[in-house]
Structures are given as C-alpha cells and as structure tokens.
Amino acid sequence: MSHTPARRWVRRLTAQVIAAGLAVAGLASLDRQEASVPLAAEPAAVSTSQIGVTPPPMGWASWNTFFSSIDHNVIKQQADALVSSGMAAAGYKYVNLDDGWWQGARDANGNIVVDENLWPGGMKAIADYIHSKGLKAGIYTDAGKNGCGYYFPSTRPAAPNTGMEGHYQQDLETFQRWGFDYVKLDFCGGRVEGLDQETTYKQIAAANEAASAVTGRKLVLSFCEWGSGLPWNWATGYGDLWRTSDDVLVFRQTPSLANMYTNFDKAQHPAAQHTGYTNDPDMLMVGINGLSAAQNRLHMGLWSILGAPLLAGNNVATMTTETRDILTNPEVIAIDQDPRGLQGVKVAEDTRGLQVYGKVLSGTGKRAVLLLNRTGSAANITVRWADLGLTTASATVRNAWTRTDAGSFATGYTASVPANDAVLLTVSGTEAAGSTYEDTTTATTPTFSVTAGAAGTKLVDITYANGGSTARKATIQVNGQFKYVVAFPPTGSATTYRTVSVLAHLAKGANTVRFAPVSGSTAPDIDALRVQGIPGTDGTALVGSASGRCVDIEKNTITNGTQAQIWDCSGGRNQTFTHTSRGELVVYGNKCLDANDRGTTNGTKVIIWDCGNTTNQKWTVNSDGTITSNLSGLCLDASNAATANGTKLILWTCNGGGNQKWTRT
C-alpha cells in the first residue's frame, strides 16, 4: 500500500493476541498473515467512520399511468404537481419520460427528430422546464434498433426506428445536450435481435463515458433487460441501476399483489447492491386504481427494505391525500434512502409465509426490519436481534408507518401482522462483534484472507482513502465468485480514512477477498476490512463426497426450473442452503430444491422452484451422508457418477455411491 511516512507502523500485535478480542459467532480469528494491526496509524474499519453513498433514484415515471400518451403538457403538469404536493421536497427529484416520447424519425445525419406539436421547442425545452422546477429530467430509449412501442404498441401506433442501436454515442450526446440527467435503456429491440445483454449494455456504458467527455455531462444509466441476462452478476459499475424482473404492471393490467411479490423476490441480490449501484424491481404502483391503502403501504414497505429506486407511477396531479402521505412518509423513505446503501436480506421464516427481512442501516446497531405475512390469516411474527447481527441486549423499536416508539425489548420483538401485509420497523440495538483485517502490504488494492465460522451473508466495512475529487473504483471478489465494482467516494485527502459497506457471501472456513483496480479509474487506497455475520442468513454448502464440489445454481440464476448442478465451491449465495424445520433445502432465501414435476422415478431432475411447502420440496438429510426426497425416497445424485463442473443433479435409487453422499459445511 502506498503510504506517506506519517503512516509508518509504530508496532504490531500478533494475530494470536488480536484474536482473543475478536471472537464472534459465525466469524473466526484473523488470518496470521493479514492480522498485524498498527497501534498508531490509520483507523481500522469501524462503522463510526462511514461515508454516505449515492442513494437509489427517487422520482416519477410516466409509463404506469400514461403509457405512450405523453407530451409537453402531461409532463409539465406532473412536474408541477411533484412540487406542489410536497413530493419533490420529500426526495422525488426525477421526472422520467418513458416510451412514447419519440416516434422514430431521424435526419440525414442520424439525429433524432421529434414532433414539435407534442414537444414545442423540442426536448431541450421540456428538460429546461423540469430543471426550472428544481427537478431532474429522465428520458427513454432501447438498446436495439426498435423500441418496445414498435413491438408492443399501447396508446399510439407502432413506431419503427425508435431504438438507439447504431447511434449509441450519438444519441447519448443528444440526450446530454438536451439537458437530460437520466436514461432508461429498454431491451425489446435487443431481445428480438438476439443481442447479448452484458456485451450490449457495457458498450452503452462506454458510449456514455465517451459522450460525457464531449459534453461535460453524464447520464444516470438505468438498464432494463428485465433480469434476462443476470445483470446482478456484471452490471455494477456500468449501470447505476438494473431491472431484475419483468414489468410490475403491464399495459391494461390491474395492479396485483402477485406481481408485487414476484418482483420483490426477484430483486434480492444483496452482493450486487452497494455504493450507489442498485437492483431495480420496477416502478411503483402506489396510488393506481386496484390497490387498497394497506396494499399501497405494503408496496412501499417492500421496496424500502430492498433499498429500491422509488419511481412513482401514479397521476401525481390527481392523487389523494392518502396516496401522497404513503409516498412521502419520511421514515419509510429514510429506510429506502439510507446512506449506507445496502439491501435488506431475509433473516428468518420460522413458518412458511411468515418472513423477516433485515436491512443494515448507517450508524452503529441500526437496522430496519420488515415483518411480512404472505399468508391468508393474521399471525404473530418475531424478529430476533441475533439474526440481524445484533447482540441479545435490549433494543429500542419504532414503527416507521405510525412514526411511534414501541419500546425497548430484550432478545427480539413480536408483532401481529394482518394477512398479506407487513409491519415496518427501525431497531436500535448493540452491534455484535466483528473481526478486523488490516492490510500490511504496499498494495492499494490488497488481498485479504478472511475466516468465517458459518457460510452466509456478511457485512463487510471497507476502510479506504481517496484524496481525489471524484469517486474511485475497484473490484471486490470473494473466492471464485463474480467480481463486483465498488465505488469509493472522496474522503477529503489521501490520509483521511472512511468506510463504505458491502454485503458479501462467504464460505465456512477460509475465504480469499481480492480487490483489484478498474481499468481507467485510479484505485482507492484500501486499508482494512471489518467483517460481521448476519446470522439469519447462515446456511451450509452441500459438498459431494466423490467430486469435492458443491451443489450449485448456475451463474446465480433465479429462474424457476433451473436444474441444480455441482461446481467448484466458492461460498456463493447460489451454493448456500438452509435446511428448514419443514424439511426444505432453501437457496437465495426464497427458492427450494424441488423434484421436478413431482417426479418419483430415476432420472427426475432436481431443480429450483418457488417454495410452496409441497412434499416434492422436502428432503431428509441422513446420517450416512445421503439426502433423500421425502416424496419418492430416492437419493440426490450427481448424474452418471460424474464429478466434473456442470454435472447435473437428479434423483436416483440409493446405492451407496460417492455421487450420492454429501457433506454439509
């Protein structure tokens, strides 16, 4: 690590001495080679030195109410209403034009030509108007040659040539010169043309940088390929937000609780969300006809615990006071916009459908908690402090919706939650102990050896210095998992150290956490890690006796019907399973290992599917290392006794083979 002389070590403590003060459930002592800590040097990674990161966008988007029927007057009306209603003051800053603003004409030079009957003065005029209200302007396009309005026309005829393919930098420069601040990049044309999602969106990100070098402006990039290309594996540092699912509301569809739950579930990719990069479950339906007040509050609660973008989709000019109050509740918004920038994770489901989600907030011992009842009957749901990474000492509880204190409670808190509803809380307790890992090398982007007592999602605070004027970037990679780009905001000087936080998935035992420079970006000076368990996420890897490889869901896919396989063990969330009291083997917190189509014959595929409390999703873990399906009695089997990466899992008659024996670690 590059340090000034003032940072010379005074003396070091041995790993054995440090370890005595750092023992914590789920985390083991420091690695011997990474554990030397200075007594008089820069601070170790601690939560009190956190720096705020860019929060998820808040604003309004035109599609869910107006579909393609937008023009200068509609947008002006909504911008005015954002201000007059108090929504702008509550944080809703973006006014985003969705599909329908452009009907597809270009001039001889390939520049976009718009209908000035719809947009008097052109698009710069509407962007200027939005800015005059103290707001930011967003616009829409497609990664392909044609946009969604061509393939799926709604309130206007199909419009050809509304995509940006072949004009990436040209169109992005145009949007910037018009004064737009944000662009949503759809993928209808891209899908029809068979474009590769990762390649295409990275090309667009590069074009955005090139356009910015010309104009001096930069656009927030919203990738909208609906999770089809698994963007949670690659989009950090390229897009600012990325869709993780299909539209929450389709043209002429009534808002539904089912779609709300589906998009909520599909957005849970905690390792990808941090430092200003955000999973996007789609725009809000709050205030659109079809949802009750309770469902609107549920919707806001779900999106807030995710730390999702809050892009209202209702008619702001005609909304009720009730809708406005739901959208502008300051304590609910504060949970969503928390400056630590992390996503909430599921930490308990003692009874199927009664779920607890916890979100680590800025500060020490601060959490948001969502008690979610997805059943048809009211029920009590309990959150345990230990599941959240807090000690069992008394913690204070506050209801975010009623904005009232519930009191102080030891060990945990129980609330009665109505059917298909949620209670949203903030909790202030005592942070559990964590292990600190100090870099002792000269590398600005070092490698750390981290030991965990259990597989699961961990809170990782990264101490660093950035003496520049803009955020610097580095990648983080745990073991053989995907790399994620982390943004490190300026700290004021090269010797001022602050922390940013990520959620990382660690294996039980030894883990290698690597940082590396990002091409084209000056790396921050990374100094230390503080690693703390979130015990409610803990699970086990299932390691094949014959192969030494782990049961794995390929590339972190979440698609129902994906067949399980074996792959090199990495500690990823796609390799961490919870064996519930109901007999399920749950991955990602919401997908169950499943005997495909309730199969009971040899060769039945073992897949993932939404957990449904059905017998084909229940398993017995036997003392001889076999795992048998409760429906058929057949064994979980690596097909053809193969041991290679990618070998698919099936059910087969138990025969004592090593390909049917699994160690839980």
Side-chain angles (χ1 to χ4, degrees):
M1 188 176 296
S2 301
H3 296 316
T4 63
R7 291 189 60 206
R8 191 172 300 144
W9 306 131
V10 175
R11 63 188 177 92
R12 303 181 186 278
L13 298 177
T14 66
Q16 291 92 334
V17 173
I18 298 165
L22 291 173
V24 58
L27 294 171
S29 62
L30 299 180
D31 178 86
R32 185 181 300 269
Q33 294 183 355
E34 295 292 339
S36 296
V37 177
L39 294 182
E42 76 283 356
V46 291
S47 59
T48 52
S49 61
Q50 294 161 15
I51 196 166
V53 300
T54 302
M58 292 179 63
W60 175 87
S62 60
W63 180 258
N64 282 353
T65 290
F66 295 98
F67 302 102
S68 298
S69 298
I70 54 174
D71 59 20
H72 189 77
N73 291 325
V74 167
I75 300 304
K76 285 177 63 177
Q77 178 195 50
Q78 296 301 307
D80 291 347
L82 275 178
V83 175
S84 63
S85 67
M87 284 186 65
Y92 292 86
K93 298 297 186 185
Y94 286 98
V95 178
N96 290 351
L97 286 62
D98 209 284
D99 195 13
W101 68 270
W102 174 37
Q103 295 303 106
R106 290 185 186 267
D107 66 17
N109 295 317
N111 296 308
I112 296 170
V113 178
V114 298
D115 183 348
E116 294 210 14
N117 292 316
L118 298 176
W119 307 103
M123 303 312 293
K124 186 177 187 306
I126 193 63
D128 287 346
Y129 185 85
I130 292 168
H131 290 153
S132 76
K133 309 300 289 187
L135 303 169
K136 295 183 177 182
I139 201 163
Y140 168 97
T141 186
D142 194 283
K145 292 182 177 67
N146 291 302
C148 291
Y150 176 72
Y151 299 103
F152 306 102
S154 58
T155 56
R156 286 189 175 140
N161 305 314
T162 49
M164 69 186 308
E165 187 182 0
H167 302 272
Y168 288 163
Q169 183 174 337
Q170 182 179 21
D171 284 3
L172 292 165
E173 282 187 34
T174 297
F175 298 155
Q176 291 170 18
R177 288 194 173 104
W178 285 341
F180 284 91
D181 307 288
Y182 176 114
V183 59
K184 176 180 172 181
L185 300 151
D186 223 332
F187 202 63
C188 289
R191 177 172 59 185
V192 170
E193 295 172 42
L195 301 181
D196 177 77
Q197 296 92 327
E198 179 177 356
T199 300
T200 300
Y201 281 102
K202 286 184 175 179
Q203 288 173 345
I204 292 171
N208 189 46
E209 295 288 344
S212 296
V214 175
T215 67
R217 293 181 61 87
K218 191 171 182 179
L219 293 157
V220 170
L221 298 185
S222 170
F223 296 169
C224 184
E225 47 78 271
W226 324 293
S228 60
L230 313 180
W232 44 87
N233 292 332
W234 51 262
T236 57
Y238 296 93
D240 297 280
L241 58 157
W242 50 88
R243 279 278 297 279
T244 51
S245 54
D246 291 333
D247 293 357
V248 73
L249 182 63
V250 179
F251 178 54
R252 290 180 176 163
Q253 182 184 46
T254 300
S256 75
L257 191 61
N259 282 5
M260 191 189 304
Y261 282 152
T262 294
N263 283 34
F264 171 74
D265 288 340
K266 290 184 175 181
Q268 294 170 40
H269 308 282
Q273 180 159 317
H274 53 72
T275 64
Y277 305 126
T278 307
N279 298 302
D280 178 12
D282 201 13
M283 300 168 286
L284 292 168
M285 302 182 290
V286 174
I288 296 176
N289 289 340
L291 295 178
S292 66
Q295 290 171 328
N296 283 329
R297 284 189 293 271
L298 171 63
H299 191 4
M300 277 290 288
L302 293 172
W303 265 230
S304 293
I305 203 72
L306 287 176
L310 297 180
L311 296 172
N314 59 308
N315 188 331
V316 181
T318 61
M319 68 180 169
T320 64
T321 300
E322 181 180 69
T323 294
R324 180 203 63 196
D325 290 347
I326 290 170
L327 287 168
T328 59
N329 181 296
E331 297 191 18
V332 176
I333 290 173
I335 292 170
D336 179 87
Q337 297 283 292
D338 181 77
R340 207 160 186 173
L342 299 175
Q343 185 171 60
V345 294
K346 194 177 88 169
V347 296
E349 189 171 6
D350 298 341
T351 300
R352 170 58 57 206
L354 304 181
Q355 301 176 337
V356 181
Y357 294 83
K359 181 181 181 183
V360 179
L361 303 178
S362 57
T364 301
K366 308 295 185 183
R367 302 289 189 270
V369 172
L370 185 84
L371 306 178
L372 175 60
N373 181 356
R374 298 171 76 149
T375 76
S377 303
N380 287 339
I381 304 178
T382 297
V383 54
R384 295 176 289 268
W385 304 152
D387 286 343
L388 303 171
L390 302 175
T391 72
T392 56
S394 291
T396 58
V397 177
R398 183 172 173 84
N399 186 302
W401 280 114
T402 63
R403 297 157 69 182
T404 57
D405 293 328
S408 181
F409 303 86
T411 307
Y413 176 76
T414 301
S416 177
V417 185
N420 283 304
D421 206 340
V423 171
L424 184 62
L425 309 168
T426 52
V427 175
S428 182
T430 303
E431 203 75 59
S435 293
T436 300
Y437 298 77
E438 184 78 25
D439 175 47
T440 62
T441 72
T442 59
T444 56
T445 51
T447 295
F448 295 88
S449 295
V450 176
T451 306
T457 302
K458 315 296 179 183
L459 171 65
V460 180
D461 295 328
I462 308 166
T463 289
Y464 74 98
N466 172 4
S469 59
T470 59
R472 294 177 177 175
K473 296 178 181 179
T475 61
I476 183 173
Q477 183 181 29
V478 178
N479 304 324
Q481 298 172 32
F482 286 93
K483 295 180 181 179
Y484 299 101
V485 175
V486 180
F488 296 86
T491 59
S493 78
T495 56
T496 300
Y497 285 81
R498 303 291 299 277
T499 70
V500 292
S501 300
V502 301
L503 296 177
H505 309 308
L506 302 185
K508 181 179 180 179
N511 294 267
T512 301
V513 180
R514 296 180 178 88
F515 291 90
V518 171
S519 177
S521 175
T522 302
D525 183 7
I526 296 170
D527 177 70
L529 304 182
R530 180 182 183 275
V531 183
Q532 177 181 334
I534 305 175
T537 68
D538 287 350
T540 58
L542 304 175
V543 185
S545 295
S547 66
R549 293 190 162 99
C550 282
V551 175
D552 173 283
I553 310 303
E554 186 177 8
K555 295 181 179 178
N556 292 317
T557 186
I558 58 173
T559 305
N560 280 342
T562 299
Q563 189 172 2
Q565 62 179 14
I566 55 172
W567 201 268
D568 294 335
C569 299
S570 68
R573 192 164 176 255
N574 61 325
Q575 295 182 350
T576 303
F577 291 83
T578 302
H579 191 210
T580 70
S581 60
R582 297 173 294 280
E584 303 151 323
L585 287 167
V586 180
V587 66
Y588 304 133
N590 54 37
K591 298 289 184 181
C592 278
L593 276 191
D594 178 292
N596 185 41
D597 204 24
R598 294 179 168 81
T600 59
T601 59
N602 282 342
T604 296
K605 294 178 180 179
V606 176
I607 62 171
I608 57 168
W609 201 271
D610 296 332
C611 296
N613 211 27
T614 54
T615 308
N616 65 315
Q617 294 183 345
K618 296 187 177 182
W619 306 83
T620 298
V621 178
N622 301 298
S623 59
D624 64 356
T626 60
I627 298 174
T628 49
S629 167
N630 286 10
L631 180 63
S632 65
L634 300 177
C635 272
L636 181 67
D637 178 291
S639 59
N640 298 316
T643 58
N645 279 337
T647 299
K648 301 301 183 184
L649 299 189
I650 59 174
L651 295 179
W652 201 266
T653 302
C654 299
N655 56 32
N659 65 317
Q660 293 184 348
K661 293 190 176 181
W662 309 89
T663 301
R664 297 170 64 204
T665 62

